[in-house]
Amino acid sequence: MDEKTALRQMDELRKNSRHMRLAAEKWDSDFQTLISIILSARTLDETTIKVCTGLFKIYPTAELLSKAEIKDVEKMIVLINFYQNKARYIVECAKKLVKMYAGKVPHDIDKLIELPGVGRKTANVFLSEVGKEGIGVDTHVQYISNKLGWTSQSKPEKIEDELKNLFSRENWNRVNETLVRFGKTHTSRTEKDNILNEIRKIK
């Protein structure tokens, strides 16, 4: 697989996707972007956006969220999967941001993954959303990139490495959002596979 072919295939994925707001998009600050990504894991983007809209009306900054009672946050994010764990994560994340970075979110992957609730995928999606280079590997990216032959790996970090080798740095930020939109557009496995089989023929 070469990058020109992969980019043509990615353009076709985009054509076969409906426009939608993803959970990481259109927030007022880096802090809100990061918290929304943490909460979006294993939760529909639509649900995450709704919950975060309410959450950020009360706790729009790291400083305010760091002072919140976890039980109060739990009540606000109860629609989120694993809301109890995530309530604890985001409050602790806010506290660490205030203590170590004056409430600002670092744009460095090694510093990001030290924050509570932030794994490598979350960090990469955040960096990509704020204009830095990153490829967040979630289930959509893993499945679609394997089906298209962009990688044969199954572990997220190895998939990330292979995708970074396949695509030039200026294209890294396109990968996650394109594949996620395609995956969310086609929820039927049969329909998805039929389209991917046709896209794979593109050379």
Side-chain angles (χ1 to χ4, degrees), residues 9-130:
Q9 293 177 341
M10 190 148 65
D11 286 341
E12 198 63 26
L13 289 172
R14 195 178 293 273
K15 291 176 186 175
N16 279 275
S17 303
R18 61 184 176 87
H19 179 73
M20 65 189 77
R21 180 184 173 185
L22 301 180
E25 298 175 334
K26 299 181 181 180
W27 298 108
D28 293 336
S29 66
D30 287 359
F31 168 72
Q32 294 181 9
T33 299
L34 179 64
I35 296 302
S36 71
I37 298 168
I38 294 173
L39 294 181
S40 71
R42 306 284 184 89
T43 300
L44 292 174
D45 289 55
E46 300 90 325
T47 302
T48 304
I49 291 166
K50 178 181 178 181
V51 168
C52 286
T53 298
L55 180 71
F56 297 147
K57 286 180 180 178
I58 308 300
Y59 306 112
T61 65
E63 289 81 359
L64 288 171
L65 186 58
S66 71
K67 298 173 184 177
E69 295 290 337
I70 291 176
K71 289 295 183 183
D72 292 338
V73 176
E74 286 179 358
K75 292 175 184 177
M76 297 193 70
I77 68 167
V78 69
L79 296 178
I80 298 286
N81 287 329
F82 312 109
Y83 72 93
Q84 291 173 313
N85 286 338
K86 289 181 181 177
R88 187 178 73 253
Y89 288 150
I90 64 174
V91 171
E92 292 301 320
C93 181
K95 287 180 178 178
K96 193 163 185 176
L97 288 173
V98 170
K99 181 178 180 180
M100 298 188 67
Y101 305 109
K104 306 297 182 183
V105 183
H107 289 191
D108 177 279
I109 193 163
D110 292 324
K111 293 178 180 178
L112 283 166
I113 60 178
E114 292 177 349
L115 297 170
V118 179
R120 191 169 184 88
K121 184 210 80 172
T122 295
N124 271 313
V125 172
F126 170 80
L127 290 172
S128 178
E129 187 60 31
V130 299

